[in-house]
Amino acid sequence: MMQLFIGITAIIGTIIIYYVALKIHDKYHYPFTLPMLIATIIIVLILLITPISYDSYMIGGEWINKLLSPAVVALAYPLYMERKLLKKLVVPILVGTTIGALVGISTGVLLAKWAGFGEEILLTISSKSVTTPISMAITESLDGITSLAAVFVVIAGVSGAVLHSYIYKFTKIHHYLGKGIGLGSASHGIGTAAALENSQLEGSISSIAMSISAVIVSVITPWMMVLLL
Amino acid sequence: MVKVMKITLHIIILCLLSSLGNWIQHTFQLLIPGSVIGMLILFVLLFFNIVKLSWIDEGAKFMVRHLTLFFIPATVGIIDYLDLFLGKGILLFFIVIISTILVMVSSGWISQWLMTRKERG
C-alpha cells in the first residue's frame, strides 16, 4: 500500500515538475533553461534535501521510464512524415554520423587516457554518445562500469542539448541537416528532443542520426578500443 | 474525452511494438536496442500501409512532444554519482562535454558541407 502511494506521488510529482519546467522555459527562453535540465535539478535537489532515496523515487519513476521505449518507437512518426526528403539525404546523413561516431569514441577515450584514467573508465566512456540502453550494453560487453556509462550518456545528452545553439552559432552550422545530425550523433535522444523543438524536420534527421549512430558505435567500439587502449 | 481515449489506445499500440522490438533483440542477441528495432518496424509498417497513420498518429504526436518527460527519471540517476565528480572525477565531466562538442561540430559540419555542395551543384 505504502509502495503504491510512493509510486503514484513520484509519478504525479515528476509530471508537475516537468510542467513547471516547461512553463519556466516558455517564459525565460534560454538554452540553459532547457526543461530537461531544470526538471532534473529540481528533482535531484528534492531528493537531496528530503530523506527520500533515489530507489524509492524510482518506484514511480520506473513507470515513466518504461514509457521511454514506446516513445522512441513513436519517433517513426516524424520520420515517416519526412520520408520523401530524407530519401534525398542518405549520403550526407551516413557520412556525417560515421564521422561523428569515430570522433566521439576516439576523443572521449584519448582525452580520458591523457588525463590518466584507468582502462575500466576508458572502456566506459567510449560509447557515451549513444542512447542509454546501447551504451550500457556495449559497456557490459567490454567489461566497463555499466551504471557509470549511463551517467556519461546523460552528461553527453544534456550538455549537447544545452550548448548546441551556442556551438552552431560559433561554428556557423545553420543548415537543418547539419544541426540535426550534430544533435543526434552527439546527444542521442536528449539531443533529438531538443532538435524537435527547433523543427519536425531537424528532429527527424536527429532521430535518424541517433539510430544510425547507435548501430555504428555498437559495431566499431570493440575494434576501436583495440587501437586506442 | 474521445481524444484522450485515442491517445491512450495509440500509446498501447506503440507499447506493443516496443515489446516486439525488445523480444527480437533478446531472441537474436542483437546490440541494437529493442526500442530502435520497434521504431524501424513501425516505419516499415507505415511505409507499406500495413499500419494506418490514423492508428498511431495522436499517440505518437503526444509522446514525441513530451519526449523529455520520459528521460527525466533515468537522468535523475546521476544523483548516485555526485561523489564521483568531486576530486579528479570532475575531469571526466569536462572530457565528456568536450568530446560531445567535437562530435557535434565534426558531424554537423561535414554533413552541412556535403549538403551545400550538393545544393549548389
Side-chain angles (χ1 to χ4, degrees), chain A residues 18 88 107 134 147 174 211, chain B residues 33 39 66 73 81 99 112 118:
Chain A
Y18 165 70
K88 285 190 238 156
T107 57
I134 311 208
S147 53
H174 38 64
S211 311
Chain B
M39 176 178 87
H66 297 290
Y81 289 89
S99 174
Q112 174 169 291
K118 199 171 155 189

Side-chain angles (χ1 to χ4, degrees), chain A residues 176 194-204:
Chain A
Y176 61 83
L196 277 161
E197 252 195 60
N198 299 339
S199 72
Q200 174 173 286
L201 189 57
E202 194 181 315
S204 309

Side-chain angles (χ1 to χ4, degrees), chain A residues 68 130-139 153, chain B residues 25 31 33-36:
Chain A
L68 187 53
V130 297
T131 180
T132 312
I134 311 208
S135 176
M136 290 176 83
I138 295 172
T139 306
V153 170
Chain B
Q25 187 209 351
L31 255 184
S35 56
V36 171

Side-chain angles (χ1 to χ4, degrees), chain A residues 82-94:
Chain A
E82 305 288 356
R83 64 196 178 282
K84 291 204 178 74
L85 190 77
L86 295 172
K87 212 175 131 188
K88 285 190 238 156
L89 304 175
V90 173
V91 174
I93 292 174
L94 278 178

Side-chain angles (χ1 to χ4, degrees), chain A residues 74-153:
Chain A
L75 288 173
Y77 174 77
L79 221 60
Y80 176 77
M81 299 305 277
E82 305 288 356
R83 64 196 178 282
K84 291 204 178 74
L85 190 77
L86 295 172
K87 212 175 131 188
K88 285 190 238 156
L89 304 175
V90 173
V91 174
I93 292 174
L94 278 178
V95 175
T97 45
T98 307
I99 300 281
L102 292 169
V103 170
I105 300 166
S106 55
T107 57
V109 172
L110 291 175
L111 283 170
K113 192 178 184 181
W114 177 66
F117 288 98
E119 197 175 305
E120 214 176 18
I121 296 281
L122 303 187
L123 292 167
T124 308
I125 212 167
S126 61
S127 58
K128 54 134 188 22
S129 304
V130 297
T131 180
T132 312
I134 311 208
S135 176
M136 290 176 83
I138 295 172
T139 306
E140 200 180 315
S141 70
L142 294 174
D143 288 326
I145 311 161
T146 319
S147 53
L148 185 59
V151 174
F152 291 150
V153 170

Side-chain angles (χ1 to χ4, degrees), chain A residues 20-69:
Chain A
V20 169
L22 279 183
K23 288 288 152 207
I24 294 175
H25 187 58
D26 276 349
K27 198 159 179 206
Y28 308 98
H29 207 83
Y30 302 107
F32 53 85
T33 58
L34 186 79
M36 168 77 139
L37 188 64
I38 294 194
T40 305
I41 291 173
I42 295 175
I43 297 173
V44 166
L45 286 177
I46 291 175
L47 297 185
L48 286 176
I49 293 165
T50 63
I52 308 166
S53 68
Y54 178 62
D55 288 338
S56 31
Y57 165 72
M58 279 310 278
I59 295 170
E62 194 55 53
W63 284 91
I64 300 178
N65 203 31
K66 276 204 172 77
L67 287 172
L68 187 53
S69 180

